[in-house]
Amino acid sequence: MMIPKNMKDKTIGILGLGISGKSAFKCLEAVGSRVYAYDDNTSSDLLVTNPNKWPWYELDQIIVSPGIPLTHPLIKKAKKLKIQINNEIDIFARSFPKAKVIGVTGTNGKSTTTSLLGHIISFNGFKVQVGGNIGKAASSLTDPGKDGFIVLELSSFQLETCNNLILDGAIILNITPDHIEWHGNLNNYYNSKIKIASFLKKDAPLIISSNDNLCKKATNDLRDNHNVININEHNKINYSAIKSFIHFKENLIASSKILSFLGISENKSLIAVNTFKGLPHRMEFFLKKEKITFINDSKATNAEATLKALEYYKNIFWIVGGVSKSGGIEPSLNYLGNVRKCFLIGESKNEFFNILNNKLECSISNTIENALEEIFNETINLSEEITVLLSPAAASFDQFENFEKRGQIFKKIVLKMWGT
């Protein structure tokens, strides 16, 4: 647990009691802050205090959990009273860790890159802690010391309300439209992503991984005041150290490049990647049955996120659909060459069918189970290699609690139908 400095005897409100909110509560209580917490969805939690009983005129700041809109009535009230708005990442930052801190953001690929960085650092004998928007809350981590590293995945929600973070290096992987309904418009979303640069120490490296339009803009907007390295301008890398080609090439290049500034050579990073297993639900190979390979890419919750899978795999039976996001399915239209047939599920099934049906063979399956039953029947007599790919290009909330549950159901049905 991090120990925030200069917070003793402060009066703090916490809005939201998820992983980050509860971690912030424990840290602040441990240093002697007076803490009042509330969650719209938790009335029985022992930590909850009705906001009507908060000492509003004594509050020094409010810690807002990720995802809570800034239009929330309690945030509006805090702003009206000129109470500072922070988030749990600021609690971490106020502990002033001695380790080198790396921040990772982007629309897609943050978790894989954050985990890959942690793996490379650990593989090379350094102590490392990984958290933020993945796994543990930042404030619940422990400082590995001056020779160690802390790697934080940072979402646009976290960056929006963060104020005190100090970074030794940062990565922007890509910026494509997402969470627009929360941020209000694309410009606000863009500004939340590039805000990561404002937390960098002088001359600290800022790696920009993608060459999408907004990353090009970020490269130009940030170059004058920051040490910006766009890897599309410096993309030479020696893959001879890698035993086999990997589908997360961009994640590796960004990771190896930033670590080369922080004491781990690119060659050592490339060697370490040979033992990296990847994360569940992200282009996850989990079964091969005779000539059929099953890939769980449930984390692909927008069309841009599914493109790598469509590029990488061949002869694809593609299960796609859910809650359509900004941009819909259109970004995938130039990447359908490897798709043999698509099986449409969820709320977006008709929307996606109308767009894809004149491009390739489509079936409206409605559910994952129906799609897999169709695929089972169609592949019984096939002799060529096939990839069955769940890469929905849409959110999961129409049929599932989250993308993890969607991926778990997919795997469970596959194992039931095809066996282990």
Side-chain angles (χ1 to χ4, degrees):
M1 184 174 66
M2 293 293 180
I3 306 299
K5 306 293 193 298
N6 303 319
M7 301 293 284
K8 185 178 180 181
D9 298 328
K10 297 290 184 181
T11 304
I12 312 292
I14 296 178
L15 180 55
L17 283 169
I19 293 173
S20 65
K22 287 185 176 180
S23 179
F25 191 105
K26 290 178 183 177
C27 290
L28 291 169
E29 195 173 51
V31 297
S33 300
R34 294 183 293 274
V35 189
Y36 300 84
Y38 178 74
D39 191 303
D40 288 325
N41 300 314
T42 306
S43 58
S44 60
D45 195 298
L46 295 176
L47 304 181
V48 166
T49 302
N50 189 304
N52 293 328
K53 297 182 179 179
W54 287 15
W56 283 94
Y57 291 95
E58 298 175 19
L59 289 179
D60 294 292
Q61 61 182 268
I62 285 184
I63 305 297
V64 180
S65 293
I68 294 178
L70 299 183
T71 55
H72 190 285
L74 296 183
I75 298 178
K76 286 184 175 180
K77 181 173 182 177
K79 288 181 175 180
K80 187 176 181 179
L81 295 174
K82 297 183 179 180
I83 300 168
Q84 186 177 9
I85 308 295
N86 289 327
N87 66 28
E88 178 265 338
I89 300 295
D90 289 307
I91 303 299
F92 162 87
R94 283 180 170 273
S95 71
F96 302 105
K98 295 179 180 178
K100 298 181 181 70
V101 182
I102 302 171
V104 180
T105 196
T107 305
N108 299 305
K110 298 185 294 297
S111 296
T112 296
T113 302
T114 301
S115 298
L116 178 59
L117 279 164
H119 175 79
I120 293 170
I121 293 165
S122 177
F123 184 90
N124 281 282
F126 296 93
K127 293 181 179 179
V128 62
Q129 291 274 294
V130 175
N133 195 49
I134 180 177
K136 295 181 178 180
S139 59
S140 70
L141 303 176
T142 56
D143 184 4
K146 64 182 182 65
D147 295 323
F149 292 80
I150 296 172
V151 188
L152 298 178
E153 177 185 329
L154 299 168
S155 70
S156 60
F157 305 141
Q158 290 169 315
L159 290 167
E160 177 82 24
T161 53
C162 183
N163 296 293
N164 300 303
L165 187 59
I166 300 172
L167 297 173
D168 295 275
I171 295 173
I172 299 175
L173 290 165
N174 41 61
I175 308 175
T176 55
D178 203 7
H179 305 304
I180 303 304
E181 70 289 344
W182 193 92
H183 289 282
N185 56 57
L186 182 58
N187 188 60
N188 289 344
Y189 177 67
Y190 168 79
N191 286 332
S192 74
K193 286 298 189 188
I194 68 168
K195 187 179 177 182
I196 197 171
S198 68
F199 302 126
L200 287 164
K201 294 179 179 178
K202 182 177 173 58
D203 298 325
L206 171 61
I207 309 299
I208 298 181
S209 178
S210 178
N211 208 30
D212 61 58
N213 289 335
L214 290 176
C215 276
K216 288 179 182 177
K217 175 176 168 54
T219 301
N220 293 328
D221 288 349
L222 299 172
R223 179 166 273 158
D224 288 345
N225 297 313
H226 300 280
N227 180 19
V228 175
I229 300 95
N230 189 310
I231 61 175
N232 292 278
E233 301 170 357
H234 308 277
N235 61 354
K236 293 182 180 179
I237 193 164
N238 177 19
Y239 287 102
S240 62
I242 302 176
K243 293 176 183 176
S244 60
F245 184 75
I246 55 170
H247 54 252
F248 43 88
K249 178 176 68 174
E250 291 84 0
N251 312 79
L252 170 59
I253 296 173
S255 299
S256 62
K257 181 62 69 174
I258 198 166
L259 290 177
S260 71
F261 284 90
L262 299 175
I264 299 175
S265 72
E266 289 188 16
N267 189 57
K268 288 182 177 180
S269 291
L270 296 178
I271 293 171
V273 79
N274 288 316
T275 55
F276 181 62
K277 302 297 184 184
L279 296 176
H281 313 297
R282 293 139 173 106
M283 291 177 69
E284 175 192 5
F285 167 85
F286 79 98
L287 179 68
K288 181 164 187 180
K289 195 70 174 180
E290 297 177 352
K291 292 185 178 296
I292 306 177
T293 298
F294 296 90
I295 304 296
N296 167 29
D297 194 30
S298 182
K299 180 62 172 68
T301 58
N302 56 57
E304 288 83 3
T306 205
L307 301 185
K308 290 181 182 178
L310 296 181
E311 278 189 295
Y312 186 73
Y313 298 106
K314 308 298 181 186
N315 215 10
I316 298 170
F317 281 66
W318 180 25
I319 302 174
V320 56
V323 180
S324 179
K325 287 194 173 182
S326 177
I329 198 68
E330 281 83 358
S332 71
L333 297 184
N334 294 325
Y335 297 82
L336 301 177
N338 292 327
V339 180
R340 180 169 181 150
K341 184 175 179 179
C342 70
F343 301 81
L344 297 152
I345 65 171
E347 181 181 292
S348 66
K349 57 184 182 293
N350 293 321
E351 174 194 342
F352 286 7
F353 180 87
N354 292 334
I355 296 169
L356 294 171
N357 190 45
N358 64 343
K359 304 286 185 182
L360 72 162
E361 186 180 358
C362 295
S363 172
I364 295 181
S365 305
N366 295 305
T367 67
I368 287 176
E369 185 170 17
N370 289 346
L372 288 171
E373 286 177 357
E374 293 178 54
I375 292 169
F376 184 88
N377 292 328
E378 292 194 27
T379 58
I380 288 175
N381 297 317
L382 292 180
S383 58
E384 65 262 47
E385 295 279 346
I386 297 292
T387 302
V388 175
L389 171 68
L390 172 67
S391 192
S396 60
F397 305 120
D398 53 341
Q399 295 180 327
F400 304 96
E401 181 182 348
N402 49 46
F403 74 83
E404 292 97 340
K405 190 67 175 178
R406 178 169 60 186
Q408 290 163 6
I409 292 295
F410 171 71
K411 293 196 290 185
K412 181 179 179 179
I413 296 171
V414 166
L415 293 173
K416 180 180 178 180
M417 294 178 66
W418 277 270
T420 55

